[in-house]
Amino acid sequence: FPSHDKAALLRKLEGRRPGTACKVRAWKLSPWSKTNELDTVVHMNSKGERELLAIVFTDAVGSSSQTALDEDKSLSMLMADLDSIRNEAAARGGSVLKNTGDGLLISFKSAVDAIECALSIQKAFQVRPRGQGFQHKIGVHIGDVIKKDGDIYGTGVNTTSRLVDQC
């Protein structure tokens, strides 16, 4: 079945036991080449569905200490910053999966979109007047994740989190 036929894929996977693999035959169509048939293995397990994603973590620098000094102003600035990050991610096809308090966990299907989003966020925050928002550390990683209940887990997520700590 064509790779864009999600209903056919779901029918094929329906009823599979957790922990089993299912071979799926798909076709890649491109305007510059003939149809290429691809074999893909979709792995389902009881923990969730595995997927390769571009993962982005953001973290507001110094938000805890600033909030201790002036909670109302800090929270207002932080909410505005997080709204800006959400909007930029959405414009580039990202999905915000979690608010971490002073940052966001975002997933992208495309590594290019994830990097362009991170760069765009940093450029936008760089030109605003000092004191109008927080500086943000942003980590980007491509990794295998486990998707379950609208969240992602696994080594790919942990690695991205560690990258932010190194910024």
Side-chain angles (χ1 to χ4, degrees):
F1 57 88
S3 60
H4 65 273
D5 189 350
K6 290 181 184 177
L9 174 61
L10 292 174
R11 282 193 303 275
K12 182 156 180 127
L13 294 176
E14 196 172 299
R16 293 277 176 184
R17 288 188 338 260
T20 62
C22 173
K23 192 170 189 176
V24 178
R25 191 167 302 274
W27 290 267
K28 178 182 176 186
L29 301 173
S30 67
W32 53 85
S33 68
K34 296 179 181 177
T35 301
N36 296 318
E37 191 174 325
L38 305 172
D39 284 331
T40 306
V41 175
V42 176
H43 184 73
M44 305 286 286
N45 68 38
S46 59
K47 295 176 184 148
E49 180 182 333
R50 289 197 171 274
E51 189 172 352
L52 183 65
L53 293 174
I55 307 149
V56 174
F57 257 113
T58 69
D59 180 53
V61 177
S63 64
S64 296
S65 59
Q66 186 64 31
T67 301
L69 295 173
D70 187 346
E71 186 177 51
D72 290 339
K73 180 180 178 187
S74 295
L75 291 178
S76 176
M77 286 190 317
L78 182 60
M79 293 304 116
D81 283 2
L82 295 180
D83 284 343
S84 294
I85 294 169
R86 276 189 197 91
N87 292 337
E88 189 60 39
R92 297 190 183 273
S95 297
V96 176
L97 301 175
K98 189 182 289 186
N99 182 324
T100 61
D102 64 349
L104 298 172
L105 169 62
I106 309 166
S107 70
F108 290 84
K109 299 279 186 191
S110 162
V112 172
D113 291 341
I115 295 294
E116 286 179 349
C117 179
L119 290 172
S120 181
I121 291 165
Q122 292 294 27
K123 286 178 184 176
F125 287 169
Q126 223 172 21
V127 298
R128 64 186 175 187
R130 189 171 182 88
Q132 294 295 318
F134 291 97
Q135 290 182 340
H136 290 263
K137 300 185 291 186
I138 301 176
V140 180
H141 177 68
I142 308 301
D144 196 39
V145 300
I146 298 169
K147 293 175 73 174
K148 185 171 183 176
D149 300 328
D151 205 349
I152 58 176
Y153 308 90
T155 306
V157 177
N158 297 338
T159 301
T160 311
S161 176
R162 288 186 191 108
L163 286 172
V164 170
D165 293 341
Q166 299 299 312
C167 293

